[in-house]
Amino acid sequence: MPESTRAIAKRRGYLSISVRERGKTPRGMKRAFNAASKQAWADTAEHFHDHMRDARFTPEHGRAAGYAARKGERQPPGTKAFKRSYYGRKLNSKRGGGIGIANPLESTGETRRNVATQYRISSTSKSARIRYTGARKLNFRHPNSRIRMTDEFRRLLDSERIQLASVYDSALDRYLAAETN
């Protein structure tokens, strides 16, 4: 029996934004609704970029989103194996002045800085997409590693989905009110 698309998406960590259904749109209003919906999705994507993007690089979000443990993260800190591990090297590194070195998706901070400036938002009446061209290094991985940083970066928490849905709904209401007046 084939798995449903929703079950596959949930297993991989992709969660969609839930939006309340408003019922059928009257025939003459469809064009205005689509235009308002496109703008609302663009606002939602902009809200994600402005308020939620940077949280992806914090250890708190990593724990909440279920990021995979990095090499050495579960080892005792005083051991020789810990100091040689990826996580131990990050903690002992002099880069960044010791601030934010243990963040899960960054080593040098270059990707975090690039993601802030190198992005492109595109939207339709049904969805929005943010392309982070500065996040190419998240695709690199060690051949023996199971950690997929791009999947971790894309993962949404339930609280974030609810917040983005409310942003979409309020923006859609605002644009529909402007279209009808």
Side-chain angles (χ1 to χ4, degrees), residues 100-149:
I101 295 297
N103 291 340
L105 292 179
E106 68 176 308
S107 181
T108 62
E110 182 181 347
T111 300
R112 189 176 192 169
R113 286 188 302 274
N114 288 345
V115 164
T117 57
Q118 299 174 10
Y119 69 99
R120 195 175 10 188
I121 294 176
S122 60
S123 65
T124 65
S125 63
K126 297 182 190 278
S127 67
R129 170 180 246 163
I130 306 174
R131 289 187 180 93
Y132 287 106
T133 56
R136 288 193 176 104
K137 287 190 177 179
L138 295 179
N139 293 323
F140 299 160
R141 72 184 178 106
H142 191 275
N144 297 332
S145 175
R146 294 183 183 159
I147 298 171
R148 298 190 184 279
M149 291 188 291

Side-chain angles (χ1 to χ4, degrees), residues 34-149:
N34 285 343
S37 180
K38 182 177 181 177
Q39 290 175 325
W41 278 116
D43 285 359
T44 304
E46 193 68 42
H47 178 82
F48 174 85
H49 178 73
D50 291 341
H51 301 288
M52 297 179 182
R53 165 196 36 89
D54 212 32
R56 304 260 168 294
F57 296 96
T58 62
E60 295 81 22
H61 186 273
R63 280 190 295 279
Y67 289 3
R70 292 346 191 214
K71 277 276 201 208
E73 198 168 348
R74 294 185 181 147
Q75 293 178 345
T79 63
K80 189 175 187 180
F82 174 79
K83 289 179 183 175
R84 290 183 175 177
S85 70
Y86 170 76
Y87 193 71
R89 287 193 317 265
K90 277 175 62 170
L91 286 178
N92 292 329
S93 170
K94 301 296 180 193
R95 280 186 247 141
I99 299 171
I101 295 297
N103 291 340
L105 292 179
E106 68 176 308
S107 181
T108 62
E110 182 181 347
T111 300
R112 189 176 192 169
R113 286 188 302 274
N114 288 345
V115 164
T117 57
Q118 299 174 10
Y119 69 99
R120 195 175 10 188
I121 294 176
S122 60
S123 65
T124 65
S125 63
K126 297 182 190 278
S127 67
R129 170 180 246 163
I130 306 174
R131 289 187 180 93
Y132 287 106
T133 56
R136 288 193 176 104
K137 287 190 177 179
L138 295 179
N139 293 323
F140 299 160
R141 72 184 178 106
H142 191 275
N144 297 332
S145 175
R146 294 183 183 159
I147 298 171
R148 298 190 184 279
M149 291 188 291

Side-chain angles (χ1 to χ4, degrees), residues 25-35 176-177 179-180:
T25 307
R27 190 170 177 93
M29 189 64 188
K30 187 67 174 169
R31 185 172 289 151
F33 179 82
N34 285 343
L176 281 176
E179 287 284 333
T180 56

Side-chain angles (χ1 to χ4, degrees), residues 3-23:
E3 263 185 296
S4 71
T5 306
R6 181 172 287 210
I8 292 170
K10 188 161 188 151
R11 187 183 72 229
R12 291 184 181 166
Y14 302 122
L15 298 175
S16 59
I17 299 171
S18 28
V19 178
R20 78 183 140 108
E21 183 63 38
R22 290 181 167 75

